[in-house]
Amino acid sequence: MLANVCRRQMKIPVLISRLVLGGMFAYASFEKILHPYDFAEVVYNYQILPDALINLTAILLPWLELFVGLLLISGLFLRGAAFTCNGLLAIFFLALAFNLARGLDIDCGCFTASAGPSSGRSMIIYLLRDGFFLAVGFFLLFSALRGERPGSRREDVTESAS
Amino acid sequence: MLTASNPRPSLLPTILRETTFILIISFCAGLGFNLVRPERLPLVADWTIEGRLKARFGEKAVISFEEAKQLFFSKQGIFLDARPPSEYRAGRIQDARNLPIEAFDKYFDKATRDLPQESLIITYCDGETCTQSNKLTRKLKEMGFENVRILVNGWSLWKKDDLPLDEG
């Protein structure tokens, strides 16, 4: 009973989180899909991946972002989308932190496909922004894992009975 | 007894199944779209500095240091320094003109007004990863100069080889 009340109260924050993260991922993917070479330069500038994986990442990652974004917005495959979303945000966060730690001055390429120099201050802002989205992502994943799924009604009845 | 906060054992396969599905459709869409798009990105490319410039500006985009030296001494090429004016004044390739990419519009006329569009132009900046000469090359091509080539790490190589310099 109490769990159901909590679940109902969480609906709006979960919806907002889905729309914010989903919209952000979908928006971030467009320019990268349209300009794959520019995005490949962004990936190269991170200087993390071996050369053989740069183009493949530039081709596949924007589409992964697009599908994750659309699925978060639509609510379909929500657990998988929230899990993938958190995985991507964690990878982006670690990549930014790694480059900040070794003093590499790069553009994050988060929402555009243009590669260019950045400033140390911007890198910290990118990191904070990604950290915030990661926190929202954790909340969404946690909510999605606690959310309804086949069989949950029956379990709730069992819980109430016991 | 189950409680609402307990992890439920059936979730992991669901997450894995959904994540796998998302990965598969993303990979298929990405590879498929890349296959049909006019400017297809090769799955594996040469990401050395020269390889990147050639991929972006064409096979003749990069000029070797030896070739640049020959053109300098035979006075067949115009050297354009893409760095900011302060760095240009501190030292530059002899007779190079300054066309800083950050103030391209301001300096463009002064730097190129006497140059025919078919002139051989060599752009340079400082450092292997500097992008000012790449951006300048792109701008010059947009302005109609077709014969523009990039001397990668030009300023450092020039100084290191004790070639003629200007200062001030």
Side-chain angles (χ1 to χ4, degrees), chain B residues 33-161:
Chain B
F33 188 71
N34 188 58
L35 205 62
V36 298
R37 72 184 310 150
E39 290 180 5
R40 190 181 308 164
L41 194 65
L43 294 184
V44 179
D46 177 7
W47 278 94
T48 59
I49 292 163
E50 293 196 359
R52 282 190 294 143
L53 293 173
K54 283 176 182 173
R56 170 144 285 199
F57 298 109
E59 276 301 309
K60 288 186 174 177
V62 178
I63 189 168
S64 70
F65 182 56
E66 289 307 315
E67 200 180 345
K69 275 199 305 189
Q70 284 173 13
L71 290 172
F72 173 82
F73 287 115
S74 62
K75 297 194 181 298
Q76 286 181 303
I78 302 292
F79 285 74
L80 287 185
D81 190 320
R83 297 173 302 156
S86 56
E87 293 181 32
Y88 171 83
R89 282 193 296 273
R92 58 189 174 271
I93 293 176
Q94 193 175 68
D95 296 330
R97 305 174 184 196
N98 192 203
L99 183 42
I101 189 62
E102 292 83 4
F104 181 85
D105 293 338
K106 184 179 169 189
Y107 284 78
F108 176 71
D109 269 349
K110 186 181 169 191
T112 64
R113 71 165 68 108
D114 60 332
L115 295 181
Q117 293 221 310
E118 62 275 13
S119 305
L120 173 55
I121 294 173
I122 299 142
T123 63
Y124 71 91
C125 48
D126 188 19
E128 284 198 349
T129 56
C130 75
T131 57
Q132 293 148 324
S133 52
N134 313 349
K135 290 174 183 171
L136 179 59
T137 299
R138 188 194 294 186
K139 279 275 198 183
L140 287 168
K141 284 182 182 268
E142 284 171 9
M143 301 302 282
F145 291 95
E146 280 302 319
N147 205 2
V148 188
R149 303 179 72 184
I150 302 163
L151 178 58
V152 176
N153 197 19
W155 175 236
S156 298
L157 291 176
W158 206 263
K159 274 193 304 185
K160 193 177 167 190
D161 221 42

Side-chain angles (χ1 to χ4, degrees), chain A residues 128-155:
Chain A
L128 290 173
R129 187 179 62 187
D130 203 65
F132 168 73
F133 287 135
L134 198 52
V136 178
F138 277 137
F139 164 73
L140 184 61
L141 181 62
F142 183 68
S143 305
L145 293 183
R146 286 173 57 112
E148 285 193 21
R149 64 184 187 290
S152 62
R153 279 178 189 279
R154 192 161 47 83
E155 283 166 7

